[in-house]
Amino acid sequence: EVIISTLHRLVIEKQLDVVFLAEPFLSPEKEVVLKKIFAEFDVFIRARKKKKTKLYQLKGGIICLVRKNTGKLEKKQTECDDVLWVHWNHLKLAGAYFVPHNSPFVGKNEKTMTQLQQRILENERERVIVLGGANAWIGELASVGKTKTEDGTEIRELVLERKTKKKATNKQG
């Protein structure tokens, strides 16, 4: 309860309208506490599907906190249970979680990425933002993306340089 209360205080202080949390380790009891503390938010949860191993269910998953009545859960979700789609402020937001490269479930990552890409392409006429935990270490490598102008006629490359204390990279980065 202390962690959830601290998170709530920070969200309120920073005046955030939307927050995605990856791998929340949310038990049914913690879910009740989360919804009580974040009463002024709609709480959307995508938990992992039941599998033979409890280890799989206890980890992963995505939570999205959206200020009350400003967003809605997308009706169409991906088959992969580590992606959550929410419609907010004329944007489609996807929260995604990718397991570490040394996880026994690393095989899910390719399927998750494929389904994420398919949904982005299905929504090419809309603005889509993907947020997530990729377990990818990129050190000081620049983040590179492509963006369209407002009228959609020009594609520009966006390069964001990085400076970080953790210079390590890994396969997923």
Side-chain angles (χ1 to χ4, degrees), residues 97-159:
Y97 173 73
F98 295 89
V99 301
H101 66 89
N102 58 351
S103 165
F105 308 110
V106 72
K108 288 178 36 110
N109 286 348
E110 187 173 337
K111 185 175 182 181
T112 300
M113 180 59 82
T114 300
Q115 289 185 8
L116 188 59
Q117 290 170 338
Q118 286 171 340
R119 282 296 303 280
I120 291 168
L121 291 172
E122 288 171 14
N123 292 289
E124 71 176 311
R125 296 196 192 292
E126 302 202 42
R127 291 184 172 188
V128 176
I129 297 177
V130 178
L131 306 109
N135 279 299
W137 303 346
I138 62 171
E140 290 191 335
L141 298 172
S143 295
V144 180
K146 296 193 184 293
T147 183
K148 290 182 180 178
T149 55
E150 281 293 319
D151 62 8
T153 58
E154 181 184 336
I155 296 178
R156 294 181 295 206
E157 189 170 88
L158 177 65
V159 178

Coordinates of all heavy atoms in Angstrom, one line a residue, residues 97-159:
Y97 N 5.0 -4.9 -22.9 CA 6.0 -5.4 -22.0 C 6.7 -6.6 -22.8 O 6.0 -7.5 -23.3 CB 5.5 -5.9 -20.7 CG 6.5 -6.6 -19.9 CD1 7.5 -5.9 -19.2 CD2 6.5 -8.0 -19.7 CE1 8.5 -6.6 -18.5 CE2 7.5 -8.6 -19.0 CZ 8.5 -7.9 -18.4 OH 9.5 -8.6 -17.6
F98 N 8.0 -6.5 -22.8 CA 8.8 -7.6 -23.4 C 9.7 -8.2 -22.4 O 10.4 -7.5 -21.6 CB 9.7 -7.1 -24.6 CG 8.9 -6.5 -25.7 CD1 8.5 -5.2 -25.8 CD2 8.5 -7.4 -26.8 CE1 7.7 -4.7 -26.8 CE2 7.8 -6.9 -27.8 CZ 7.4 -5.6 -27.8
V99 N 9.7 -9.6 -22.3 CA 10.4 -10.3 -21.2 C 11.9 -10.1 -21.5 O 12.4 -10.0 -22.7 CB 10.0 -11.7 -21.1 CG1 8.5 -11.8 -20.8 CG2 10.3 -12.5 -22.4
P100 N 12.8 -10.3 -20.5 CA 14.2 -10.2 -20.7 C 14.7 -11.4 -21.6 O 14.1 -12.4 -21.7 CB 14.8 -10.4 -19.3 CG 13.7 -10.1 -18.4 CD 12.4 -10.4 -19.1
H101 N 15.8 -11.2 -22.2 CA 16.4 -12.2 -23.2 C 16.7 -13.5 -22.5 O 16.8 -14.5 -23.2 CB 17.6 -11.6 -23.9 CG 18.8 -11.4 -23.1 ND1 19.7 -12.3 -22.8 CD2 19.2 -10.3 -22.4 CE1 20.6 -11.8 -22.0 NE2 20.3 -10.6 -21.7
N102 N 16.9 -13.5 -21.2 CA 17.2 -14.8 -20.5 C 16.0 -15.4 -19.8 O 16.1 -16.3 -19.0 CB 18.3 -14.5 -19.5 CG 17.9 -13.4 -18.4 OD1 16.9 -12.8 -18.6 ND2 18.8 -13.3 -17.4
S103 N 14.8 -14.9 -20.1 CA 13.6 -15.4 -19.5 C 13.2 -16.7 -20.3 O 13.4 -16.9 -21.5 CB 12.4 -14.4 -19.7 OG 11.2 -15.0 -19.5
P104 N 12.6 -17.7 -19.5 CA 12.1 -18.9 -20.2 C 11.0 -18.6 -21.2 O 10.6 -19.4 -22.0 CB 11.6 -19.8 -19.1 CG 11.5 -18.9 -17.9 CD 12.4 -17.7 -18.1
F105 N 10.4 -17.4 -21.1 CA 9.3 -17.0 -22.0 C 9.7 -16.1 -23.1 O 8.9 -15.4 -23.8 CB 8.2 -16.3 -21.2 CG 7.7 -17.2 -20.0 CD1 8.1 -16.8 -18.7 CD2 7.1 -18.4 -20.2 CE1 7.7 -17.5 -17.6 CE2 6.7 -19.1 -19.1 CZ 7.0 -18.7 -17.8
V106 N 11.0 -16.0 -23.4 CA 11.6 -15.0 -24.4 C 11.0 -15.3 -25.8 O 10.9 -14.3 -26.6 CB 13.1 -15.1 -24.4 CG1 13.6 -16.4 -25.1 CG2 13.7 -13.9 -25.2
G107 N 10.5 -16.5 -26.1 CA 9.9 -16.8 -27.4 C 8.6 -15.9 -27.6 O 8.2 -15.7 -28.8
K108 N 8.0 -15.4 -26.6 CA 6.8 -14.6 -26.7 C 7.1 -13.3 -27.3 O 6.2 -12.6 -27.9 CB 6.2 -14.3 -25.3 CG 5.5 -15.4 -24.6 CD 5.0 -15.0 -23.3 CE 4.5 -13.6 -23.2 NZ 3.2 -13.2 -23.1
N109 N 8.3 -12.8 -27.2 CA 8.6 -11.4 -27.6 C 8.4 -11.2 -29.1 O 7.9 -10.1 -29.5 CB 10.1 -11.0 -27.3 CG 10.2 -10.8 -25.8 OD1 9.3 -10.6 -25.0 ND2 11.5 -10.7 -25.3
E110 N 8.8 -12.2 -29.9 CA 8.6 -12.0 -31.4 C 7.1 -11.9 -31.7 O 6.7 -11.1 -32.5 CB 9.3 -13.2 -32.1 CG 9.3 -12.9 -33.6 CD 10.1 -14.0 -34.4 OE1 11.0 -14.6 -33.8 OE2 9.8 -14.1 -35.6
K111 N 6.3 -12.8 -31.1 CA 4.9 -12.7 -31.4 C 4.3 -11.4 -30.9 O 3.4 -10.8 -31.6 CB 4.2 -13.9 -30.7 CG 2.7 -14.1 -31.0 CD 2.2 -15.3 -30.3 CE 0.7 -15.5 -30.7 NZ 0.1 -16.7 -30.1
T112 N 4.7 -11.0 -29.7 CA 4.2 -9.7 -29.2 C 4.6 -8.5 -30.1 O 3.7 -7.7 -30.4 CB 4.8 -9.4 -27.8 OG1 4.4 -10.5 -26.9 CG2 4.4 -8.1 -27.2
M113 N 5.8 -8.5 -30.6 CA 6.2 -7.4 -31.5 C 5.4 -7.5 -32.8 O 5.0 -6.5 -33.3 CB 7.7 -7.5 -31.8 CG 8.2 -6.5 -32.7 SD 7.9 -4.8 -32.2 CE 9.3 -4.6 -31.0
T114 N 5.2 -8.7 -33.4 CA 4.5 -8.8 -34.6 C 3.1 -8.3 -34.5 O 2.6 -7.6 -35.3 CB 4.5 -10.3 -35.1 OG1 5.8 -10.7 -35.3 CG2 3.7 -10.5 -36.3
Q115 N 2.4 -8.7 -33.4 CA 1.0 -8.3 -33.2 C 1.0 -6.8 -32.9 O 0.0 -6.1 -33.4 CB 0.4 -9.0 -32.0 CG 0.1 -10.5 -32.4 CD -0.6 -11.2 -31.3 OE1 -1.1 -10.7 -30.3 NE2 -0.8 -12.5 -31.5
L116 N 1.9 -6.2 -32.2 CA 2.0 -4.8 -32.0 C 2.2 -4.1 -33.3 O 1.4 -3.1 -33.6 CB 3.2 -4.5 -31.1 CG 3.3 -3.1 -30.5 CD1 2.1 -2.6 -29.8 CD2 4.6 -3.0 -29.7
Q117 N 3.1 -4.5 -34.2 CA 3.3 -3.9 -35.5 C 2.0 -4.0 -36.3 O 1.6 -3.0 -37.0 CB 4.5 -4.5 -36.2 CG 5.8 -4.2 -35.6 CD 6.9 -5.0 -36.1 OE1 6.7 -6.1 -36.6 NE2 8.1 -4.5 -35.9
Q118 N 1.3 -5.1 -36.3 CA 0.1 -5.3 -37.1 C -1.0 -4.3 -36.7 O -1.6 -3.7 -37.5 CB -0.4 -6.7 -36.9 CG 0.3 -7.8 -37.7 CD -0.1 -9.2 -37.4 OE1 -0.7 -9.4 -36.3 NE2 0.3 -10.1 -38.3
R119 N -1.1 -4.1 -35.4 CA -2.1 -3.1 -34.9 C -1.7 -1.7 -35.2 O -2.6 -0.9 -35.6 CB -2.3 -3.3 -33.4 CG -3.1 -4.4 -32.9 CD -4.6 -4.4 -33.3 NE -5.2 -3.2 -32.9 CZ -5.8 -2.9 -31.7 NH1 -5.7 -3.9 -30.8 NH2 -6.4 -1.8 -31.4
I120 N -0.5 -1.4 -35.2 CA 0.0 0.0 -35.6 C -0.4 0.2 -37.1 O -0.9 1.2 -37.4 CB 1.5 0.1 -35.3 CG1 1.7 0.2 -33.8 CG2 2.0 1.4 -36.0 CD1 3.2 0.1 -33.5
L121 N -0.1 -0.8 -37.9 CA -0.4 -0.7 -39.3 C -1.9 -0.6 -39.6 O -2.4 0.2 -40.5 CB 0.2 -1.8 -40.1 CG 1.7 -1.8 -40.2 CD1 2.2 -3.1 -40.9 CD2 2.2 -0.6 -41.0
E122 N -2.7 -1.3 -38.8 CA -4.2 -1.2 -38.9 C -4.7 0.2 -38.6 O -5.7 0.6 -39.0 CB -4.8 -2.2 -37.9 CG -4.7 -3.7 -38.3 CD -5.2 -4.6 -37.2 OE1 -5.9 -4.1 -36.3 OE2 -4.9 -5.8 -37.3
N123 N -3.9 0.9 -37.8 CA -4.3 2.2 -37.3 C -3.5 3.3 -37.9 O -3.3 4.4 -37.3 CB -4.2 2.3 -35.8 CG -5.2 1.4 -35.1 OD1 -6.4 1.7 -35.1 ND2 -4.8 0.3 -34.5
E124 N -3.0 3.1 -39.2 CA -2.1 4.1 -39.8 C -2.7 5.5 -40.0 O -2.0 6.4 -40.1 CB -1.6 3.5 -41.1 CG -2.6 3.5 -42.2 CD -2.0 3.0 -43.5 OE1 -0.9 3.6 -43.9 OE2 -2.5 2.1 -44.2
R125 N -4.0 5.6 -40.0 CA -4.6 6.9 -40.1 C -4.8 7.6 -38.8 O -5.2 8.7 -38.7 CB -6.0 6.8 -40.8 CG -6.0 6.2 -42.2 CD -7.3 6.5 -42.9 NE -7.5 5.8 -44.1 CZ -6.8 6.0 -45.3 NH1 -5.8 6.9 -45.3 NH2 -7.1 5.4 -46.4
E126 N -4.5 6.9 -37.7 CA -4.6 7.5 -36.4 C -3.2 7.7 -35.8 O -2.2 7.2 -36.2 CB -5.4 6.6 -35.5 CG -6.8 6.3 -36.1 CD -7.8 5.9 -35.1 OE1 -7.8 6.4 -34.0 OE2 -8.5 4.9 -35.4
R127 N -3.2 8.5 -34.8 CA -1.9 8.7 -34.0 C -1.8 7.7 -33.0 O -2.7 7.4 -32.2 CB -1.9 10.1 -33.3 CG -1.9 11.2 -34.4 CD -1.8 12.5 -33.7 NE -1.5 13.5 -34.7 CZ -1.2 14.8 -34.4 NH1 -1.2 15.1 -33.1 NH2 -1.0 15.6 -35.3
V128 N -0.7 7.0 -33.0 CA -0.4 5.9 -32.1 C 0.9 6.1 -31.4 O 1.9 6.6 -32.0 CB -0.3 4.5 -32.9 CG1 0.1 3.4 -32.0 CG2 -1.5 4.2 -33.7
I129 N 0.8 5.9 -30.1 CA 2.0 6.0 -29.2 C 2.2 4.7 -28.5 O 1.3 4.2 -27.9 CB 1.9 7.2 -28.2 CG1 1.8 8.5 -28.9 CG2 3.1 7.2 -27.3 CD1 1.6 9.7 -28.0
V130 N 3.4 4.1 -28.6 CA 3.7 2.9 -27.9 C 4.6 3.2 -26.7 O 5.7 3.9 -26.9 CB 4.4 1.9 -28.9 CG1 4.8 0.6 -28.1 CG2 3.5 1.6 -30.1
L131 N 4.2 2.7 -25.6 CA 5.0 2.9 -24.4 C 5.3 1.5 -23.8 O 4.5 0.7 -23.9 CB 4.2 3.7 -23.3 CG 3.7 5.1 -23.8 CD1 2.2 5.0 -23.9 CD2 4.1 6.1 -22.9
G132 N 6.4 1.4 -23.2 CA 6.6 0.0 -22.7 C 8.0 -0.2 -22.0 O 8.8 0.6 -22.0
G133 N 8.0 -1.4 -21.5 CA 9.2 -2.0 -20.9 C 9.8 -3.0 -21.9 O 9.2 -4.1 -22.0
A134 N 10.9 -2.7 -22.5 CA 11.4 -3.6 -23.5 C 12.6 -4.5 -22.9 O 13.1 -5.4 -23.6 CB 11.9 -2.9 -24.7
N135 N 13.0 -4.2 -21.7 CA 14.1 -4.9 -21.1 C 15.3 -4.8 -22.1 O 16.1 -5.8 -22.3 CB 13.8 -6.4 -20.8 CG 13.1 -6.5 -19.5 OD1 13.7 -6.1 -18.4 ND2 11.9 -7.0 -19.5
A136 N 15.4 -3.7 -22.8 CA 16.4 -3.5 -23.8 C 17.4 -2.4 -23.2 O 17.0 -1.3 -22.9 CB 15.8 -3.0 -25.1
W137 N 18.7 -2.8 -23.2 CA 19.7 -1.9 -22.8 C 20.3 -1.3 -24.0 O 20.9 -2.1 -24.8 CB 20.7 -2.6 -21.9 CG 20.2 -3.2 -20.7 CD1 19.0 -3.1 -20.1 CD2 20.9 -4.2 -19.9 NE1 18.8 -3.9 -19.0 CE2 20.0 -4.6 -18.8 CE3 22.1 -4.8 -19.9 CZ2 20.3 -5.5 -17.9 CZ3 22.5 -5.7 -18.9 CH2 21.6 -6.0 -17.9
I138 N 20.3 0.0 -24.2 CA 20.8 0.6 -25.4 C 22.0 1.5 -25.1 O 22.5 2.2 -26.0 CB 19.8 1.3 -26.2 CG1 19.1 2.5 -25.5 CG2 18.7 0.3 -26.7 CD1 18.2 3.3 -26.3
G139 N 22.4 1.5 -23.9 CA 23.6 2.3 -23.5 C 23.4 3.8 -24.0 O 22.4 4.4 -23.7
E140 N 24.4 4.2 -24.8 CA 24.3 5.6 -25.3 C 24.0 5.6 -26.8 O 24.2 6.7 -27.4 CB 25.6 6.3 -25.0 CG 25.8 6.7 -23.5 CD 26.9 7.6 -23.2 OE1 27.9 7.7 -24.0 OE2 26.9 8.3 -22.2
L141 N 23.4 4.5 -27.3 CA 23.0 4.5 -28.7 C 21.8 5.5 -28.8 O 20.9 5.6 -28.0 CB 22.6 3.1 -29.1 CG 23.6 2.0 -29.1 CD1 23.0 0.7 -29.3 CD2 24.7 2.3 -30.1
A142 N 21.8 6.2 -29.9 CA 20.7 7.2 -30.1 C 19.4 6.4 -30.4 O 19.4 5.3 -31.0 CB 21.0 8.0 -31.3
S143 N 18.3 7.0 -30.0 CA 16.9 6.5 -30.3 C 16.5 7.1 -31.7 O 16.6 8.3 -31.8 CB 15.9 6.8 -29.3 OG 16.3 6.1 -28.1
V144 N 16.1 6.3 -32.6 CA 15.8 6.8 -34.0 C 14.4 6.4 -34.3 O 14.0 5.2 -34.1 CB 16.8 6.3 -35.0 CG1 16.4 6.8 -36.4 CG2 18.2 6.6 -34.7
G145 N 13.6 7.3 -34.8 CA 12.2 7.0 -35.2 C 11.9 7.8 -36.4 O 12.6 8.7 -36.9
K146 N 10.7 7.6 -36.9 CA 10.2 8.3 -38.1 C 8.9 8.9 -37.7 O 8.1 8.3 -37.0 CB 10.0 7.4 -39.3 CG 11.4 6.8 -39.8 CD 11.2 6.2 -41.1 CE 12.5 5.5 -41.5 NZ 13.6 6.3 -41.8
T147 N 8.7 10.1 -38.2 CA 7.4 10.9 -37.9 C 6.9 11.5 -39.1 O 7.7 11.9 -40.0 CB 7.6 11.9 -36.7 OG1 6.4 12.5 -36.4 CG2 8.7 12.9 -37.1
K148 N 5.6 11.7 -39.2 CA 5.0 12.4 -40.4 C 4.6 13.8 -40.0 O 4.4 14.1 -38.8 CB 3.7 11.7 -40.8 CG 3.9 10.3 -41.5 CD 2.5 9.8 -41.9 CE 2.7 8.4 -42.5 NZ 1.4 7.8 -42.9
T149 N 4.6 14.7 -40.9 CA 4.2 16.0 -40.7 C 2.7 16.0 -40.4 O 2.0 15.0 -40.7 CB 4.5 17.0 -41.9 OG1 3.9 16.4 -43.0 CG2 6.0 17.1 -42.1
E150 N 2.1 17.1 -39.9 CA 0.7 17.2 -39.6 C -0.2 16.8 -40.8 O -1.2 16.1 -40.6 CB 0.3 18.6 -39.2 CG 0.7 18.9 -37.7 CD -0.1 18.1 -36.7 OE1 -1.3 17.9 -36.9 OE2 0.5 17.6 -35.7
D151 N 0.2 17.2 -42.0 CA -0.7 16.9 -43.1 C -0.4 15.5 -43.7 O -1.0 15.0 -44.7 CB -0.6 17.9 -44.2 CG 0.9 18.1 -44.8 OD1 1.7 17.3 -44.4 OD2 1.1 19.0 -45.6
G152 N 0.6 14.8 -43.1 CA 1.0 13.4 -43.6 C 1.7 13.3 -44.9 O 1.9 12.2 -45.4
T153 N 2.2 14.4 -45.4 CA 2.9 14.4 -46.7 C 4.4 14.1 -46.6 O 5.0 13.6 -47.6 CB 2.7 15.7 -47.4 OG1 3.2 16.8 -46.6 CG2 1.2 16.0 -47.7
E154 N 5.0 14.4 -45.5 CA 6.4 14.2 -45.4 C 6.8 13.4 -44.2 O 6.2 13.5 -43.1 CB 7.1 15.6 -45.2 CG 8.6 15.6 -45.1 CD 9.1 17.0 -44.8 OE1 8.4 18.0 -45.1 OE2 10.2 17.1 -44.3
I155 N 7.7 12.4 -44.4 CA 8.2 11.6 -43.3 C 9.6 12.1 -42.9 O 10.5 12.3 -43.8 CB 8.3 10.1 -43.7 CG1 6.9 9.6 -44.0 CG2 8.9 9.3 -42.6 CD1 6.8 8.2 -44.5
R156 N 9.8 12.4 -41.7 CA 11.0 12.9 -41.1 C 11.6 11.9 -40.2 O 10.9 11.2 -39.5 CB 10.9 14.2 -40.4 CG 10.4 15.4 -41.3 CD 10.3 16.6 -40.5 NE 9.2 16.4 -39.5 CZ 8.5 17.4 -39.0 NH1 8.8 18.6 -39.3 NH2 7.5 17.1 -38.2
E157 N 12.9 11.8 -40.1 CA 13.6 11.0 -39.2 C 13.9 11.8 -37.9 O 14.3 13.0 -38.0 CB 15.0 10.5 -39.7 CG 15.6 9.4 -38.9 CD 16.8 8.8 -39.5 OE1 17.9 9.3 -39.4 OE2 16.5 7.7 -40.2
L158 N 13.6 11.2 -36.8 CA 13.8 11.9 -35.5 C 14.9 11.1 -34.8 O 14.8 9.9 -34.6 CB 12.5 11.8 -34.7 CG 12.5 12.4 -33.3 CD1 12.7 13.9 -33.4 CD2 11.1 12.1 -32.7
V159 N 16.0 11.8 -34.4 CA 17.1 11.2 -33.7 C 17.2 11.8 -32.3 O 17.3 13.1 -32.2 CB 18.4 11.4 -34.5 CG1 19.6 10.8 -33.7 CG2 18.3 10.8 -35.9

